[in-house]
Amino acid sequence: MIPIALDPRLTSLAVAGNGTLALRRYRALRAAGAEGALLFSDDPSAEAVEAAGANLRLALPDDAALAALHVLWIVDLPAEAAEALATRARAARVLVNVEDVPPFCDFHSVAEIRRGDLLLTISTAGAAPGLAGVLRRDLETRFGPEWAERVAHVRALRRAWQQEGVKMPEAARRIATLVEEEGWLA
């Protein structure tokens, strides 16, 4: 697996599917900053209609819609429909994840913890999602909400150091010293 972090402002993302899991995946994308993410559903719940609003498409993606995407999560569709959609998406050069069907996945979604701009992820390459969930819950207790402020503080320090001409190795040393002195990992 090759870990990457996609900027949702520069990437066209969508979920295709019906049901609770599709809506959960869509909400996770929105929470990650993908305000333009689309939800394609040929049988949306009232909750999905409300959550997606103008970003809801009342059908599964056709070839034109696929051509406009970079990444597609397929969730809560019958196996035959999911496989056919995944095949069409790949033909359009779209990265595909068919949730819980590793052979149809170009990538696997990670278990994640968000604290402002801090993003911690756990992956088992799709082999043990339950284990990834256990590890995520443990890390959530170790990295609480205070980490959002800590990252913002370090960002401000880095910007000031960059203006002073401080090079990256020195900035890294200063950050390590700050973390140690403040006991952030104690």
mmCIF file of all heavy atoms in Angstrom, residues 77-131:
data_model
loop_
_atom_site.group_PDB
_atom_site.id
_atom_site.type_symbol
_atom_site.label_atom_id
_atom_site.label_comp_id
_atom_site.label_asym_id
_atom_site.label_seq_id
_atom_site.Cartn_x
_atom_site.Cartn_y
_atom_site.Cartn_z
ATOM 1 N N LEU A 77 -24.164 -1.569 -2.608
ATOM 2 C CA LEU A 77 -24.797 -1.966 -3.867
ATOM 3 C C LEU A 77 -24.707 -3.481 -4.006
ATOM 4 O O LEU A 77 -23.760 -4.085 -3.502
ATOM 5 C CB LEU A 77 -24.102 -1.318 -5.068
ATOM 6 C CG LEU A 77 -24.265 0.192 -5.236
ATOM 7 C CD1 LEU A 77 -23.500 0.665 -6.475
ATOM 8 C CD2 LEU A 77 -25.728 0.583 -5.334
ATOM 9 N N PRO A 78 -25.659 -4.107 -4.705
ATOM 10 C CA PRO A 78 -25.540 -5.544 -4.961
ATOM 11 C C PRO A 78 -24.220 -5.838 -5.673
ATOM 12 O O PRO A 78 -23.717 -5.007 -6.445
ATOM 13 C CB PRO A 78 -26.740 -5.849 -5.869
ATOM 14 C CG PRO A 78 -27.706 -4.729 -5.616
ATOM 15 C CD PRO A 78 -26.872 -3.525 -5.272
ATOM 16 N N ALA A 79 -23.660 -7.007 -5.424
ATOM 17 C CA ALA A 79 -22.329 -7.361 -5.937
ATOM 18 C C ALA A 79 -22.208 -7.166 -7.444
ATOM 19 O O ALA A 79 -21.212 -6.617 -7.922
ATOM 20 C CB ALA A 79 -21.994 -8.810 -5.560
ATOM 21 N N GLU A 80 -23.222 -7.584 -8.204
ATOM 22 C CA GLU A 80 -23.133 -7.454 -9.661
ATOM 23 C C GLU A 80 -23.093 -5.986 -10.087
ATOM 24 O O GLU A 80 -22.328 -5.604 -10.972
ATOM 25 C CB GLU A 80 -24.329 -8.145 -10.351
ATOM 26 C CG GLU A 80 -24.534 -9.593 -9.967
ATOM 27 C CD GLU A 80 -25.251 -9.761 -8.613
ATOM 28 O OE1 GLU A 80 -26.137 -8.963 -8.249
ATOM 29 O OE2 GLU A 80 -24.869 -10.708 -7.896
ATOM 30 N N ALA A 81 -23.918 -5.165 -9.472
ATOM 31 C CA ALA A 81 -23.951 -3.736 -9.802
ATOM 32 C C ALA A 81 -22.646 -3.064 -9.390
ATOM 33 O O ALA A 81 -22.108 -2.221 -10.124
ATOM 34 C CB ALA A 81 -25.137 -3.056 -9.125
ATOM 35 N N ALA A 82 -22.126 -3.448 -8.234
ATOM 36 C CA ALA A 82 -20.866 -2.861 -7.765
ATOM 37 C C ALA A 82 -19.720 -3.222 -8.697
ATOM 38 O O ALA A 82 -18.902 -2.365 -9.057
ATOM 39 C CB ALA A 82 -20.567 -3.335 -6.338
ATOM 40 N N GLU A 83 -19.661 -4.481 -9.116
ATOM 41 C CA GLU A 83 -18.586 -4.913 -10.006
ATOM 42 C C GLU A 83 -18.678 -4.206 -11.359
ATOM 43 O O GLU A 83 -17.670 -3.738 -11.897
ATOM 44 C CB GLU A 83 -18.637 -6.425 -10.211
ATOM 45 C CG GLU A 83 -17.520 -6.932 -11.104
ATOM 46 C CD GLU A 83 -17.533 -8.440 -11.288
ATOM 47 O OE1 GLU A 83 -18.406 -9.126 -10.722
ATOM 48 O OE2 GLU A 83 -16.644 -8.931 -12.014
ATOM 49 N N ALA A 84 -19.874 -4.101 -11.906
ATOM 50 C CA ALA A 84 -20.046 -3.433 -13.202
ATOM 51 C C ALA A 84 -19.662 -1.958 -13.108
ATOM 52 O O ALA A 84 -18.974 -1.429 -13.992
ATOM 53 C CB ALA A 84 -21.491 -3.580 -13.678
ATOM 54 N N LEU A 85 -20.081 -1.299 -12.033
ATOM 55 C CA LEU A 85 -19.745 0.115 -11.864
ATOM 56 C C LEU A 85 -18.242 0.285 -11.673
ATOM 57 O O LEU A 85 -17.624 1.194 -12.249
ATOM 58 C CB LEU A 85 -20.521 0.710 -10.681
ATOM 59 C CG LEU A 85 -20.283 2.183 -10.390
ATOM 60 C CD1 LEU A 85 -20.523 3.063 -11.613
ATOM 61 C CD2 LEU A 85 -21.183 2.625 -9.226
ATOM 62 N N ALA A 86 -17.632 -0.591 -10.894
ATOM 63 C CA ALA A 86 -16.179 -0.519 -10.681
ATOM 64 C C ALA A 86 -15.430 -0.699 -11.998
ATOM 65 O O ALA A 86 -14.468 0.015 -12.279
ATOM 66 C CB ALA A 86 -15.738 -1.573 -9.665
ATOM 67 N N THR A 87 -15.873 -1.608 -12.820
ATOM 68 C CA THR A 87 -15.228 -1.850 -14.118
ATOM 69 C C THR A 87 -15.340 -0.615 -15.012
ATOM 70 O O THR A 87 -14.362 -0.200 -15.640
ATOM 71 C CB THR A 87 -15.861 -3.081 -14.801
ATOM 72 O OG1 THR A 87 -15.653 -4.220 -13.949
ATOM 73 C CG2 THR A 87 -15.251 -3.338 -16.163
ATOM 74 N N ARG A 88 -16.525 -0.015 -15.067
ATOM 75 C CA ARG A 88 -16.721 1.202 -15.874
ATOM 76 C C ARG A 88 -15.888 2.361 -15.328
ATOM 77 O O ARG A 88 -15.310 3.139 -16.093
ATOM 78 C CB ARG A 88 -18.195 1.581 -15.918
ATOM 79 C CG ARG A 88 -19.024 0.636 -16.765
ATOM 80 C CD ARG A 88 -20.512 1.007 -16.898
ATOM 81 N NE ARG A 88 -20.828 2.392 -16.711
ATOM 82 C CZ ARG A 88 -21.542 2.867 -15.677
ATOM 83 N NH1 ARG A 88 -22.007 2.065 -14.736
ATOM 84 N NH2 ARG A 88 -21.799 4.156 -15.589
ATOM 85 N N ALA A 89 -15.810 2.467 -14.011
ATOM 86 C CA ALA A 89 -15.032 3.557 -13.408
ATOM 87 C C ALA A 89 -13.552 3.405 -13.738
ATOM 88 O O ALA A 89 -12.883 4.381 -14.106
ATOM 89 C CB ALA A 89 -15.249 3.582 -11.893
ATOM 90 N N ARG A 90 -13.037 2.195 -13.623
ATOM 91 C CA ARG A 90 -11.625 1.969 -13.964
ATOM 92 C C ARG A 90 -11.356 2.285 -15.427
ATOM 93 O O ARG A 90 -10.307 2.816 -15.764
ATOM 94 C CB ARG A 90 -11.227 0.529 -13.657
ATOM 95 C CG ARG A 90 -10.941 0.317 -12.222
ATOM 96 C CD ARG A 90 -10.195 -0.989 -11.981
ATOM 97 N NE ARG A 90 -10.239 -1.247 -10.564
ATOM 98 C CZ ARG A 90 -11.203 -1.927 -9.962
ATOM 99 N NH1 ARG A 90 -12.183 -2.465 -10.639
ATOM 100 N NH2 ARG A 90 -11.176 -2.089 -8.653
ATOM 101 N N ALA A 91 -12.289 1.943 -16.294
ATOM 102 C CA ALA A 91 -12.121 2.252 -17.721
ATOM 103 C C ALA A 91 -12.030 3.761 -17.935
ATOM 104 O O ALA A 91 -11.375 4.218 -18.871
ATOM 105 C CB ALA A 91 -13.274 1.665 -18.535
ATOM 106 N N ALA A 92 -12.659 4.524 -17.028
ATOM 107 C CA ALA A 92 -12.591 5.986 -17.093
ATOM 108 C C ALA A 92 -11.398 6.531 -16.301
ATOM 109 O O ALA A 92 -11.289 7.742 -16.101
ATOM 110 C CB ALA A 92 -13.892 6.591 -16.567
ATOM 111 N N ARG A 93 -10.530 5.635 -15.832
ATOM 112 C CA ARG A 93 -9.320 5.995 -15.078
ATOM 113 C C ARG A 93 -9.642 6.636 -13.719
ATOM 114 O O ARG A 93 -8.960 7.537 -13.259
ATOM 115 C CB ARG A 93 -8.388 6.862 -15.912
ATOM 116 C CG ARG A 93 -7.985 6.171 -17.224
ATOM 117 C CD ARG A 93 -6.956 6.907 -18.022
ATOM 118 N NE ARG A 93 -5.712 7.157 -17.339
ATOM 119 C CZ ARG A 93 -4.698 6.297 -17.227
ATOM 120 N NH1 ARG A 93 -4.798 5.111 -17.747
ATOM 121 N NH2 ARG A 93 -3.596 6.632 -16.612
ATOM 122 N N VAL A 94 -10.694 6.132 -13.092
ATOM 123 C CA VAL A 94 -11.105 6.573 -11.760
ATOM 124 C C VAL A 94 -10.612 5.537 -10.759
ATOM 125 O O VAL A 94 -10.786 4.331 -10.979
ATOM 126 C CB VAL A 94 -12.647 6.702 -11.674
ATOM 127 C CG1 VAL A 94 -13.087 7.056 -10.261
ATOM 128 C CG2 VAL A 94 -13.157 7.710 -12.684
ATOM 129 N N LEU A 95 -10.003 5.975 -9.662
ATOM 130 C CA LEU A 95 -9.628 5.063 -8.582
ATOM 131 C C LEU A 95 -10.898 4.622 -7.861
ATOM 132 O O LEU A 95 -11.763 5.449 -7.561
ATOM 133 C CB LEU A 95 -8.685 5.738 -7.599
ATOM 134 C CG LEU A 95 -7.290 6.057 -8.118
ATOM 135 C CD1 LEU A 95 -6.515 6.874 -7.097
ATOM 136 C CD2 LEU A 95 -6.547 4.771 -8.451
ATOM 137 N N VAL A 96 -10.997 3.323 -7.577
ATOM 138 C CA VAL A 96 -12.232 2.752 -7.050
ATOM 139 C C VAL A 96 -11.980 1.983 -5.759
ATOM 140 O O VAL A 96 -10.989 1.272 -5.633
ATOM 141 C CB VAL A 96 -12.851 1.779 -8.085
ATOM 142 C CG1 VAL A 96 -14.103 1.120 -7.524
ATOM 143 C CG2 VAL A 96 -13.158 2.487 -9.379
ATOM 144 N N ASN A 97 -12.930 2.135 -4.828
ATOM 145 C CA ASN A 97 -12.981 1.299 -3.634
ATOM 146 C C ASN A 97 -14.389 0.741 -3.548
ATOM 147 O O ASN A 97 -15.347 1.505 -3.461
ATOM 148 C CB ASN A 97 -12.659 2.112 -2.379
ATOM 149 C CG ASN A 97 -12.825 1.283 -1.118
ATOM 150 O OD1 ASN A 97 -13.946 1.002 -0.697
ATOM 151 N ND2 ASN A 97 -11.723 0.906 -0.515
ATOM 152 N N VAL A 98 -14.512 -0.577 -3.628
ATOM 153 C CA VAL A 98 -15.798 -1.233 -3.386
ATOM 154 C C VAL A 98 -15.713 -1.735 -1.949
ATOM 155 O O VAL A 98 -14.990 -2.689 -1.661
ATOM 156 C CB VAL A 98 -16.058 -2.383 -4.375
ATOM 157 C CG1 VAL A 98 -17.410 -3.036 -4.071
ATOM 158 C CG2 VAL A 98 -16.035 -1.866 -5.811
ATOM 159 N N GLU A 99 -16.421 -1.056 -1.070
ATOM 160 C CA GLU A 99 -16.275 -1.306 0.356
ATOM 161 C C GLU A 99 -16.494 -2.773 0.699
ATOM 162 O O GLU A 99 -17.479 -3.387 0.281
ATOM 163 C CB GLU A 99 -17.243 -0.426 1.151
ATOM 164 C CG GLU A 99 -16.814 -0.288 2.586
ATOM 165 C CD GLU A 99 -17.171 1.063 3.170
ATOM 166 O OE1 GLU A 99 -16.763 2.094 2.606
ATOM 167 O OE2 GLU A 99 -17.854 1.061 4.199
ATOM 168 N N ASP A 100 -15.520 -3.330 1.420
ATOM 169 C CA ASP A 100 -15.527 -4.710 1.900
ATOM 170 C C ASP A 100 -15.407 -5.764 0.790
ATOM 171 O O ASP A 100 -15.742 -6.922 1.000
ATOM 172 C CB ASP A 100 -16.763 -4.999 2.758
ATOM 173 C CG ASP A 100 -16.686 -4.307 4.108
ATOM 174 O OD1 ASP A 100 -15.561 -4.075 4.594
ATOM 175 O OD2 ASP A 100 -17.752 -3.998 4.666
ATOM 176 N N VAL A 101 -14.905 -5.355 -0.380
ATOM 177 C CA VAL A 101 -14.648 -6.305 -1.467
ATOM 178 C C VAL A 101 -13.237 -6.034 -1.997
ATOM 179 O O VAL A 101 -13.060 -5.417 -3.048
ATOM 180 C CB VAL A 101 -15.702 -6.195 -2.602
ATOM 181 C CG1 VAL A 101 -15.508 -7.327 -3.615
ATOM 182 C CG2 VAL A 101 -17.115 -6.205 -2.042
ATOM 183 N N PRO A 102 -12.193 -6.471 -1.261
ATOM 184 C CA PRO A 102 -10.809 -6.160 -1.626
ATOM 185 C C PRO A 102 -10.418 -6.419 -3.086
ATOM 186 O O PRO A 102 -9.694 -5.616 -3.665
ATOM 187 C CB PRO A 102 -9.973 -7.000 -0.655
ATOM 188 C CG PRO A 102 -10.856 -7.125 0.553
ATOM 189 C CD PRO A 102 -12.260 -7.236 -0.010
ATOM 190 N N PRO A 103 -10.912 -7.487 -3.742
ATOM 191 C CA PRO A 103 -10.491 -7.685 -5.134
ATOM 192 C C PRO A 103 -10.925 -6.557 -6.084
ATOM 193 O O PRO A 103 -10.350 -6.402 -7.148
ATOM 194 C CB PRO A 103 -11.166 -9.006 -5.531
ATOM 195 C CG PRO A 103 -11.475 -9.694 -4.261
ATOM 196 C CD PRO A 103 -11.715 -8.610 -3.249
ATOM 197 N N PHE A 104 -11.934 -5.781 -5.692
ATOM 198 C CA PHE A 104 -12.409 -4.691 -6.535
ATOM 199 C C PHE A 104 -11.887 -3.331 -6.069
ATOM 200 O O PHE A 104 -12.386 -2.290 -6.504
ATOM 201 C CB PHE A 104 -13.935 -4.658 -6.581
ATOM 202 C CG PHE A 104 -14.540 -5.880 -7.205
ATOM 203 C CD1 PHE A 104 -15.604 -6.517 -6.611
ATOM 204 C CD2 PHE A 104 -14.035 -6.402 -8.393
ATOM 205 C CE1 PHE A 104 -16.167 -7.653 -7.173
ATOM 206 C CE2 PHE A 104 -14.584 -7.531 -8.967
ATOM 207 C CZ PHE A 104 -15.652 -8.158 -8.360
ATOM 208 N N CYS A 105 -10.897 -3.320 -5.200
ATOM 209 C CA CYS A 105 -10.397 -2.058 -4.635
ATOM 210 C C CYS A 105 -9.042 -1.675 -5.209
ATOM 211 O O CYS A 105 -8.096 -2.462 -5.151
ATOM 212 C CB CYS A 105 -10.277 -2.170 -3.113
ATOM 213 S SG CYS A 105 -11.868 -2.369 -2.284
ATOM 214 N N ASP A 106 -8.960 -0.467 -5.738
ATOM 215 C CA ASP A 106 -7.672 0.104 -6.140
ATOM 216 C C ASP A 106 -6.958 0.672 -4.921
ATOM 217 O O ASP A 106 -5.753 0.883 -4.948
ATOM 218 C CB ASP A 106 -7.872 1.225 -7.157
ATOM 219 C CG ASP A 106 -8.536 0.749 -8.422
ATOM 220 O OD1 ASP A 106 -8.290 -0.403 -8.823
ATOM 221 O OD2 ASP A 106 -9.312 1.527 -9.009
ATOM 222 N N PHE A 107 -7.712 0.970 -3.886
ATOM 223 C CA PHE A 107 -7.172 1.518 -2.642
ATOM 224 C C PHE A 107 -8.075 1.070 -1.505
ATOM 225 O O PHE A 107 -9.195 0.616 -1.738
ATOM 226 C CB PHE A 107 -7.104 3.058 -2.698
ATOM 227 C CG PHE A 107 -8.453 3.718 -2.758
ATOM 228 C CD1 PHE A 107 -9.084 4.145 -1.603
ATOM 229 C CD2 PHE A 107 -9.102 3.903 -3.968
ATOM 230 C CE1 PHE A 107 -10.337 4.743 -1.654
ATOM 231 C CE2 PHE A 107 -10.348 4.503 -4.040
ATOM 232 C CZ PHE A 107 -10.972 4.922 -2.878
ATOM 233 N N HIS A 108 -7.571 1.183 -0.297
ATOM 234 C CA HIS A 108 -8.349 0.858 0.893
ATOM 235 C C HIS A 108 -8.488 2.118 1.728
ATOM 236 O O HIS A 108 -7.543 2.896 1.853
ATOM 237 C CB HIS A 108 -7.659 -0.234 1.731
ATOM 238 C CG HIS A 108 -7.454 -1.492 0.964
ATOM 239 N ND1 HIS A 108 -8.472 -2.366 0.688
ATOM 240 C CD2 HIS A 108 -6.349 -2.021 0.388
ATOM 241 C CE1 HIS A 108 -8.011 -3.367 -0.006
ATOM 242 N NE2 HIS A 108 -6.719 -3.191 -0.202
ATOM 243 N N SER A 109 -9.654 2.319 2.282
ATOM 244 C CA SER A 109 -9.846 3.448 3.183
ATOM 245 C C SER A 109 -9.198 3.121 4.516
ATOM 246 O O SER A 109 -9.192 1.968 4.954
ATOM 247 C CB SER A 109 -11.335 3.728 3.372
ATOM 248 O OG SER A 109 -11.900 4.136 2.145
ATOM 249 N N VAL A 110 -8.645 4.129 5.147
ATOM 250 C CA VAL A 110 -7.946 3.946 6.408
ATOM 251 C C VAL A 110 -8.852 4.297 7.577
ATOM 252 O O VAL A 110 -9.810 5.063 7.428
ATOM 253 C CB VAL A 110 -6.662 4.819 6.456
ATOM 254 C CG1 VAL A 110 -5.678 4.396 5.383
ATOM 255 C CG2 VAL A 110 -7.003 6.298 6.326
ATOM 256 N N ALA A 111 -8.550 3.744 8.728
ATOM 257 C CA ALA A 111 -9.174 4.199 9.962
ATOM 258 C C ALA A 111 -8.483 5.512 10.303
ATOM 259 O O ALA A 111 -7.260 5.628 10.156
ATOM 260 C CB ALA A 111 -8.972 3.180 11.069
ATOM 261 N N GLU A 112 -9.237 6.510 10.706
ATOM 262 C CA GLU A 112 -8.623 7.830 10.880
ATOM 263 C C GLU A 112 -9.055 8.531 12.152
ATOM 264 O O GLU A 112 -10.124 8.275 12.688
ATOM 265 C CB GLU A 112 -8.952 8.717 9.681
ATOM 266 C CG GLU A 112 -10.421 8.988 9.522
ATOM 267 C CD GLU A 112 -10.746 9.789 8.268
ATOM 268 O OE1 GLU A 112 -10.298 9.406 7.179
ATOM 269 O OE2 GLU A 112 -11.444 10.807 8.402
ATOM 270 N N ILE A 113 -8.163 9.409 12.591
ATOM 271 C CA ILE A 113 -8.423 10.297 13.716
ATOM 272 C C ILE A 113 -8.073 11.693 13.240
ATOM 273 O O ILE A 113 -6.966 11.923 12.744
ATOM 274 C CB ILE A 113 -7.565 9.936 14.943
ATOM 275 C CG1 ILE A 113 -7.855 8.510 15.386
ATOM 276 C CG2 ILE A 113 -7.793 10.911 16.089
ATOM 277 C CD1 ILE A 113 -6.616 7.711 15.587
ATOM 278 N N ARG A 114 -9.010 12.629 13.378
ATOM 279 C CA ARG A 114 -8.777 14.022 12.969
ATOM 280 C C ARG A 114 -8.788 14.919 14.195
ATOM 281 O O ARG A 114 -9.717 14.873 14.991
ATOM 282 C CB ARG A 114 -9.860 14.487 12.001
ATOM 283 C CG ARG A 114 -9.762 13.824 10.677
ATOM 284 C CD ARG A 114 -10.770 14.385 9.673
ATOM 285 N NE ARG A 114 -10.621 13.662 8.438
ATOM 286 C CZ ARG A 114 -9.713 13.942 7.514
ATOM 287 N NH1 ARG A 114 -8.915 14.959 7.671
ATOM 288 N NH2 ARG A 114 -9.612 13.209 6.421
ATOM 289 N N ARG A 115 -7.754 15.704 14.279
ATOM 290 C CA ARG A 115 -7.638 16.719 15.327
ATOM 291 C C ARG A 115 -7.175 17.996 14.627
ATOM 292 O O ARG A 115 -5.979 18.253 14.496
ATOM 293 C CB ARG A 115 -6.630 16.307 16.404
ATOM 294 C CG ARG A 115 -6.933 14.987 17.087
ATOM 295 C CD ARG A 115 -8.211 15.064 17.930
ATOM 296 N NE ARG A 115 -8.407 13.862 18.726
ATOM 297 C CZ ARG A 115 -9.432 13.052 18.583
ATOM 298 N NH1 ARG A 115 -10.341 13.279 17.658
ATOM 299 N NH2 ARG A 115 -9.568 11.994 19.365
ATOM 300 N N GLY A 116 -8.122 18.771 14.116
ATOM 301 C CA GLY A 116 -7.752 19.931 13.306
ATOM 302 C C GLY A 116 -7.016 19.456 12.074
ATOM 303 O O GLY A 116 -7.497 18.577 11.355
ATOM 304 N N ASP A 117 -5.826 19.988 11.848
ATOM 305 C CA ASP A 117 -5.028 19.589 10.694
ATOM 306 C C ASP A 117 -4.207 18.321 10.947
ATOM 307 O O ASP A 117 -3.536 17.841 10.039
ATOM 308 C CB ASP A 117 -4.085 20.724 10.270
ATOM 309 C CG ASP A 117 -4.824 21.847 9.573
ATOM 310 O OD1 ASP A 117 -5.891 21.588 8.975
ATOM 311 O OD2 ASP A 117 -4.343 22.987 9.617
ATOM 312 N N LEU A 118 -4.257 17.795 12.152
ATOM 313 C CA LEU A 118 -3.559 16.545 12.437
ATOM 314 C C LEU A 118 -4.439 15.387 11.976
ATOM 315 O O LEU A 118 -5.607 15.282 12.358
ATOM 316 C CB LEU A 118 -3.281 16.406 13.938
ATOM 317 C CG LEU A 118 -2.616 15.096 14.370
ATOM 318 C CD1 LEU A 118 -1.220 14.965 13.763
ATOM 319 C CD2 LEU A 118 -2.548 15.033 15.892
ATOM 320 N N LEU A 119 -3.889 14.539 11.133
ATOM 321 C CA LEU A 119 -4.597 13.364 10.650
ATOM 322 C C LEU A 119 -3.737 12.148 10.932
ATOM 323 O O LEU A 119 -2.631 12.020 10.410
ATOM 324 C CB LEU A 119 -4.865 13.481 9.142
ATOM 325 C CG LEU A 119 -5.478 12.259 8.457
ATOM 326 C CD1 LEU A 119 -6.848 11.929 9.044
ATOM 327 C CD2 LEU A 119 -5.574 12.504 6.956
ATOM 328 N N LEU A 120 -4.246 11.264 11.789
ATOM 329 C CA LEU A 120 -3.577 10.000 12.092
ATOM 330 C C LEU A 120 -4.374 8.896 11.408
ATOM 331 O O LEU A 120 -5.608 8.870 11.496
ATOM 332 C CB LEU A 120 -3.546 9.746 13.601
ATOM 333 C CG LEU A 120 -2.894 10.820 14.463
ATOM 334 C CD1 LEU A 120 -3.107 10.522 15.936
ATOM 335 C CD2 LEU A 120 -1.421 10.927 14.148
ATOM 336 N N THR A 121 -3.668 8.006 10.726
ATOM 337 C CA THR A 121 -4.370 6.944 10.013
ATOM 338 C C THR A 121 -3.782 5.584 10.357
ATOM 339 O O THR A 121 -2.609 5.467 10.698
ATOM 340 C CB THR A 121 -4.298 7.141 8.489
ATOM 341 O OG1 THR A 121 -2.932 7.048 8.061
ATOM 342 C CG2 THR A 121 -4.867 8.489 8.091
ATOM 343 N N ILE A 122 -4.639 4.566 10.231
ATOM 344 C CA ILE A 122 -4.236 3.194 10.478
ATOM 345 C C ILE A 122 -4.743 2.367 9.304
ATOM 346 O O ILE A 122 -5.901 2.492 8.903
ATOM 347 C CB ILE A 122 -4.851 2.634 11.780
ATOM 348 C CG1 ILE A 122 -4.433 3.465 12.996
ATOM 349 C CG2 ILE A 122 -4.434 1.183 11.983
ATOM 350 C CD1 ILE A 122 -5.481 4.425 13.435
ATOM 351 N N SER A 123 -3.874 1.534 8.763
ATOM 352 C CA SER A 123 -4.278 0.663 7.668
ATOM 353 C C SER A 123 -3.719 -0.733 7.880
ATOM 354 O O SER A 123 -2.602 -0.899 8.346
ATOM 355 C CB SER A 123 -3.761 1.209 6.336
ATOM 356 O OG SER A 123 -4.025 0.280 5.290
ATOM 357 N N THR A 124 -4.524 -1.711 7.513
ATOM 358 C CA THR A 124 -4.066 -3.100 7.484
ATOM 359 C C THR A 124 -4.151 -3.619 6.047
ATOM 360 O O THR A 124 -4.240 -4.821 5.828
ATOM 361 C CB THR A 124 -4.917 -3.975 8.419
ATOM 362 O OG1 THR A 124 -6.278 -3.932 7.979
ATOM 363 C CG2 THR A 124 -4.808 -3.521 9.865
ATOM 364 N N ALA A 125 -4.147 -2.688 5.081
ATOM 365 C CA ALA A 125 -4.260 -3.026 3.651
ATOM 366 C C ALA A 125 -5.526 -3.836 3.380
ATOM 367 O O ALA A 125 -5.551 -4.690 2.512
ATOM 368 C CB ALA A 125 -3.018 -3.752 3.161
ATOM 369 N N GLY A 126 -6.564 -3.576 4.162
ATOM 370 C CA GLY A 126 -7.824 -4.276 3.970
ATOM 371 C C GLY A 126 -7.883 -5.649 4.607
ATOM 372 O O GLY A 126 -8.921 -6.308 4.584
ATOM 373 N N ALA A 127 -6.785 -6.088 5.219
ATOM 374 C CA ALA A 127 -6.729 -7.444 5.772
ATOM 375 C C ALA A 127 -7.501 -7.590 7.084
ATOM 376 O O ALA A 127 -8.057 -8.650 7.361
ATOM 377 C CB ALA A 127 -5.275 -7.856 5.990
ATOM 378 N N ALA A 128 -7.512 -6.538 7.901
ATOM 379 C CA ALA A 128 -8.129 -6.651 9.220
ATOM 380 C C ALA A 128 -8.741 -5.313 9.639
ATOM 381 O O ALA A 128 -8.236 -4.633 10.535
ATOM 382 C CB ALA A 128 -7.089 -7.104 10.241
ATOM 383 N N PRO A 129 -9.852 -4.898 9.000
ATOM 384 C CA PRO A 129 -10.448 -3.602 9.337
ATOM 385 C C PRO A 129 -10.873 -3.500 10.802
ATOM 386 O O PRO A 129 -10.803 -2.427 11.395
ATOM 387 C CB PRO A 129 -11.633 -3.477 8.397
ATOM 388 C CG PRO A 129 -11.776 -4.763 7.686
ATOM 389 C CD PRO A 129 -10.549 -5.575 7.922
ATOM 390 N N GLY A 130 -11.287 -4.613 11.402
ATOM 391 C CA GLY A 130 -11.660 -4.578 12.818
ATOM 392 C C GLY A 130 -10.485 -4.232 13.707
ATOM 393 O O GLY A 130 -10.619 -3.484 14.682
ATOM 394 N N LEU A 131 -9.301 -4.750 13.386
ATOM 395 C CA LEU A 131 -8.090 -4.414 14.134
ATOM 396 C C LEU A 131 -7.748 -2.941 13.957
ATOM 397 O O LEU A 131 -7.394 -2.269 14.929
ATOM 398 C CB LEU A 131 -6.921 -5.293 13.683
ATOM 399 C CG LEU A 131 -5.568 -4.972 14.328
ATOM 400 C CD1 LEU A 131 -5.639 -5.132 15.853
ATOM 401 C CD2 LEU A 131 -4.481 -5.851 13.727
#
